[in-house]
mmCIF file of all heavy atoms in Angstrom:
data_model
loop_
_atom_site.group_PDB
_atom_site.id
_atom_site.type_symbol
_atom_site.label_atom_id
_atom_site.label_comp_id
_atom_site.label_asym_id
_atom_site.label_seq_id
_atom_site.Cartn_x
_atom_site.Cartn_y
_atom_site.Cartn_z
ATOM 1 N N VAL A 653 -9.587 -25.577 -1.224
ATOM 2 C CA VAL A 653 -10.142 -25.648 -2.646
ATOM 3 C C VAL A 653 -9.171 -26.500 -3.346
ATOM 4 O O VAL A 653 -7.889 -26.366 -3.286
ATOM 5 C CB VAL A 653 -10.020 -24.256 -3.183
ATOM 6 C CG1 VAL A 653 -10.232 -24.095 -4.619
ATOM 7 C CG2 VAL A 653 -11.048 -23.261 -2.541
ATOM 8 N N ALA A 654 -9.731 -27.303 -4.230
ATOM 9 C CA ALA A 654 -8.867 -28.262 -5.051
ATOM 10 C C ALA A 654 -8.780 -27.421 -6.392
ATOM 11 O O ALA A 654 -9.651 -26.975 -6.983
ATOM 12 C CB ALA A 654 -9.587 -29.508 -5.455
ATOM 13 N N VAL A 655 -7.420 -27.205 -6.681
ATOM 14 C CA VAL A 655 -7.203 -26.342 -7.899
ATOM 15 C C VAL A 655 -7.175 -27.152 -9.130
ATOM 16 O O VAL A 655 -6.569 -28.201 -9.281
ATOM 17 C CB VAL A 655 -5.797 -25.713 -7.664
ATOM 18 C CG1 VAL A 655 -5.476 -24.755 -8.870
ATOM 19 C CG2 VAL A 655 -5.581 -24.963 -6.360
ATOM 20 N N GLU A 656 -8.120 -26.658 -10.060
ATOM 21 C CA GLU A 656 -8.329 -27.413 -11.342
ATOM 22 C C GLU A 656 -7.693 -26.570 -12.548
ATOM 23 O O GLU A 656 -7.466 -27.313 -13.490
ATOM 24 C CB GLU A 656 -9.832 -27.628 -11.437
ATOM 25 C CG GLU A 656 -10.541 -28.329 -10.460
ATOM 26 C CD GLU A 656 -11.956 -28.308 -10.489
ATOM 27 O OE1 GLU A 656 -12.610 -27.391 -10.956
ATOM 28 O OE2 GLU A 656 -12.692 -29.438 -10.009
ATOM 29 N N ASP A 657 -7.495 -25.477 -12.384
ATOM 30 C CA ASP A 657 -6.894 -24.660 -13.540
ATOM 31 C C ASP A 657 -6.173 -23.507 -12.974
ATOM 32 O O ASP A 657 -6.370 -23.064 -11.821
ATOM 33 C CB ASP A 657 -8.079 -24.178 -14.583
ATOM 34 C CG ASP A 657 -7.519 -23.739 -15.807
ATOM 35 O OD1 ASP A 657 -6.207 -23.996 -16.014
ATOM 36 O OD2 ASP A 657 -8.283 -23.356 -16.685
ATOM 37 N N ALA A 658 -5.324 -22.843 -13.705
ATOM 38 C CA ALA A 658 -4.664 -21.691 -13.257
ATOM 39 C C ALA A 658 -4.063 -20.815 -14.442
ATOM 40 O O ALA A 658 -4.004 -21.363 -15.621
ATOM 41 C CB ALA A 658 -3.394 -22.153 -12.399
ATOM 42 N N GLY A 659 -3.845 -19.710 -14.292
ATOM 43 C CA GLY A 659 -3.357 -18.709 -15.246
ATOM 44 C C GLY A 659 -2.673 -17.558 -14.588
ATOM 45 O O GLY A 659 -2.538 -17.513 -13.365
ATOM 46 N N ALA A 660 -2.183 -16.616 -15.339
ATOM 47 C CA ALA A 660 -1.464 -15.495 -14.774
ATOM 48 C C ALA A 660 -2.393 -14.625 -13.706
ATOM 49 O O ALA A 660 -1.913 -14.142 -12.766
ATOM 50 C CB ALA A 660 -0.912 -14.509 -15.892
ATOM 51 N N SER A 661 -3.712 -14.808 -13.969
ATOM 52 C CA SER A 661 -4.580 -13.988 -13.067
ATOM 53 C C SER A 661 -4.884 -14.759 -11.734
ATOM 54 O O SER A 661 -5.302 -14.083 -10.862
ATOM 55 C CB SER A 661 -5.996 -13.669 -13.680
ATOM 56 O OG SER A 661 -6.611 -14.882 -14.065
ATOM 57 N N GLY A 662 -4.565 -16.051 -11.642
ATOM 58 C CA GLY A 662 -4.805 -16.786 -10.391
ATOM 59 C C GLY A 662 -5.098 -18.134 -10.551
ATOM 60 O O GLY A 662 -4.856 -18.750 -11.648
ATOM 61 N N LEU A 663 -5.660 -18.792 -9.482
ATOM 62 C CA LEU A 663 -6.015 -20.070 -9.542
ATOM 63 C C LEU A 663 -7.502 -20.335 -9.515
ATOM 64 O O LEU A 663 -8.299 -19.478 -8.953
ATOM 65 C CB LEU A 663 -5.496 -20.864 -8.269
ATOM 66 C CG LEU A 663 -4.039 -20.597 -7.715
ATOM 67 C CD1 LEU A 663 -3.782 -21.261 -6.481
ATOM 68 C CD2 LEU A 663 -3.048 -20.911 -8.803
ATOM 69 N N PHE A 664 -7.971 -21.416 -10.115
ATOM 70 C CA PHE A 664 -9.415 -21.680 -10.209
ATOM 71 C C PHE A 664 -9.727 -23.158 -9.755
ATOM 72 O O PHE A 664 -8.920 -24.051 -10.052
ATOM 73 C CB PHE A 664 -9.928 -21.593 -11.626
ATOM 74 C CG PHE A 664 -9.434 -20.319 -12.297
ATOM 75 C CD1 PHE A 664 -8.186 -20.224 -13.066
ATOM 76 C CD2 PHE A 664 -10.184 -19.210 -12.210
ATOM 77 C CE1 PHE A 664 -7.820 -19.017 -13.624
ATOM 78 C CE2 PHE A 664 -9.788 -17.928 -12.778
ATOM 79 C CZ PHE A 664 -8.555 -17.867 -13.520
ATOM 80 N N GLY A 665 -10.679 -23.297 -8.943
ATOM 81 C CA GLY A 665 -10.966 -24.626 -8.456
ATOM 82 C C GLY A 665 -12.299 -24.637 -7.823
ATOM 83 O O GLY A 665 -13.207 -23.946 -8.001
ATOM 84 N N ARG A 666 -12.519 -25.751 -7.071
ATOM 85 C CA ARG A 666 -13.863 -25.924 -6.260
ATOM 86 C C ARG A 666 -13.430 -26.397 -4.779
ATOM 87 O O ARG A 666 -12.428 -27.013 -4.470
ATOM 88 C CB ARG A 666 -14.582 -27.060 -6.957
ATOM 89 C CG ARG A 666 -13.991 -28.455 -6.881
ATOM 90 C CD ARG A 666 -14.602 -29.542 -7.772
ATOM 91 N NE ARG A 666 -13.622 -30.609 -7.946
ATOM 92 C CZ ARG A 666 -13.408 -31.451 -7.096
ATOM 93 N NH1 ARG A 666 -14.025 -31.505 -5.845
ATOM 94 N NH2 ARG A 666 -12.446 -32.389 -7.395
ATOM 95 N N VAL A 667 -14.462 -25.938 -3.876
ATOM 96 C CA VAL A 667 -14.257 -26.204 -2.492
ATOM 97 C C VAL A 667 -14.467 -27.634 -2.217
ATOM 98 O O VAL A 667 -15.389 -28.245 -2.783
ATOM 99 C CB VAL A 667 -15.351 -25.337 -1.749
ATOM 100 C CG1 VAL A 667 -15.241 -25.670 -0.211
ATOM 101 C CG2 VAL A 667 -15.113 -23.867 -1.990
#
Side-chain angles (χ1 to χ4, degrees):
V653 173
V655 181
E656 296 170 331
D657 197 6
S661 61
L663 315 179
F664 309 91
R666 66 186 159 79
V667 174

